[in-house]
Amino acid sequence: MRIWVDADACPNVIKEILFRAAERARINLTLVANQPVRTPPSQYIKALQVPPGFDVADNKIVELTEAGDLVITADTAPAHLAGALGVPAWVALKYVPDWRWFLGRADSPWYPSLRLFRQAAPNDWASVFAVMESELRPLISHNP
């Protein structure tokens, strides 16, 4: 299993949480972005820089994703791309999300492959990614 992150739309605080989770869980994490992304020295974490352009990073993530991989994003575009292609994706949502994600749901009525993780309070990204990390553990134990 590999985890793909749209790093252009990912706040630094979330990247830090993902870095710690990747190290603890010993899972490959790739951040894809149109600009250079700093990553800590790690055998599990890497960055992939793509050319500038609208949705270039999103498209690269979809292109490289394989069976058993997981896309994590806080951006609507890669969530819709992954969902339309049936690629498993976890979407980190703000306390008051875009209308497309409704309220009080962990699923998407349009995309069965998406899972929605919501902030319990404004700007509470730490709890969103703590839940994601705990939910990753059983998946990782079943994937080489």
Side-chain angles (χ1 to χ4, degrees):
M1 169 188 266
R2 290 180 297 174
I3 298 175
W4 298 92
V5 176
D6 174 16
D8 288 317
C10 188
N12 286 332
V13 66
I14 296 172
K15 289 177 196 162
E16 292 299 323
I17 293 166
L18 289 169
F19 294 157
R20 288 192 300 272
E23 283 295 318
R24 273 196 300 267
R26 296 184 176 130
I27 190 161
N28 292 319
L29 171 70
T30 303
L31 293 95
V32 183
N34 301 107
Q35 56 198 336
V37 176
R38 282 193 205 162
T39 60
S42 169
Q43 70 182 45
Y44 303 107
I45 302 166
K46 70 176 187 172
L48 174 62
Q49 186 174 350
V50 295
F54 185 72
D55 287 341
V56 174
D58 303 338
N59 293 335
K60 182 56 81 173
I61 289 170
V62 172
E63 173 189 329
L64 295 175
T65 302
E66 298 176 356
D69 288 354
L70 174 66
V71 174
I72 296 178
T73 184
D75 188 10
T76 295
H80 286 288
L81 278 171
L85 295 171
V87 172
W90 289 1
V91 184
L93 297 174
K94 296 185 287 185
Y95 183 69
V96 178
D98 185 78
W99 66 269
R100 291 169 189 86
W101 306 119
F102 300 104
L103 296 173
R105 295 183 72 134
D107 67 333
S108 165
W110 300 295
Y111 306 122
S113 66
L114 297 191
R115 179 114 184 263
L116 309 178
F117 293 81
R118 300 172 180 279
Q119 290 181 341
N123 300 313
D124 182 17
W125 289 115
S127 68
V128 170
F129 285 93
V131 171
M132 282 188 182
E133 181 183 2
S134 70
E135 304 249 347
L136 273 175
R137 289 191 184 282
L139 295 176
I140 293 165
S141 67
H142 293 94
N143 287 286

